[in-house]
Amino acid sequence: MLTAHERGLLIEAMSHGFNIVSGMHEFLNDDPMFAAACVANKVGIVDVRRPRDKKDRRPFSGQIHDVTCPRIAVLGTVCAVGKRATAIILARALNDRCQSASRLVWSQSSPAMPTHL
C-alpha cells in the first residue's frame, strides 16, 4: 500500500505529464484519485500485474529462443533471500571481466532500485 506521501509523488509526476507503469499488487487504475489524475493530465497508468482479458492472452510462442544474447534469471519465491544482491554481484563481476552486463529489475521494489549497478 502506498503512503500518502508516495501517492502525492505519483500524482505530482502525473501533473508533469508522466505516465505511470506500476508493478504493485494494488491496481492504481482502480483508485478514483489516480483515475481522475489520468483524465486531468492526459496520462495513463499501466498496472503490469493485472491479468489480461482472456481474449487478449496468447500461449507461449517460443520467441525467447530467438534472443541470441546470454540471459541469466535470478529468481526466488520469497523476500530477503538475496536475489537483488546476487544480481548486483553477478553484473559487477561480468562487467569487471569486460562482459557487458545489465540488470532488468522487475519487482515490487523496482521503482527504488538503480539498474546501473
Side-chain angles (χ1 to χ4, degrees):
M1 300 292 290
L2 292 171
T3 66
H5 177 71
E6 292 165 337
R7 292 172 66 81
L9 290 173
L10 289 175
I11 295 295
E12 181 180 351
M14 294 169 78
S15 75
H16 291 286
F18 283 84
N19 294 299
I20 305 297
V21 178
S22 172
M24 296 185 294
H25 293 278
E26 63 180 307
F27 299 141
L28 297 183
N29 277 308
D30 292 346
D31 186 303
M33 185 173 85
F34 286 110
C38 282
V39 173
N41 297 294
K42 298 182 175 123
V43 298
I45 296 174
V46 177
D47 287 312
V48 297
R49 289 184 185 263
R50 183 184 297 277
R52 293 180 182 164
D53 288 336
K54 284 187 179 182
K55 66 179 178 54
D56 296 327
R57 295 180 193 169
R58 58 181 189 265
F60 177 73
S61 69
Q63 285 181 314
I64 190 64
H65 298 297
D66 297 334
V67 176
T68 58
C69 67
R71 300 158 313 277
I72 301 171
V74 180
L75 307 171
T77 58
V78 296
C79 299
V81 295
K83 299 179 298 286
R84 183 181 313 145
T86 300
I88 289 170
I89 292 166
L90 183 58
R92 284 182 180 159
L94 288 167
N95 284 318
D96 289 346
R97 288 165 180 78
C98 298
Q99 299 292 318
S100 178
S102 61
R103 296 183 307 119
L104 172 63
V105 178
W106 193 275
S107 71
Q108 187 74 8
S109 59
S110 65
M113 285 305 306
T115 58
H116 65 278
L117 298 175

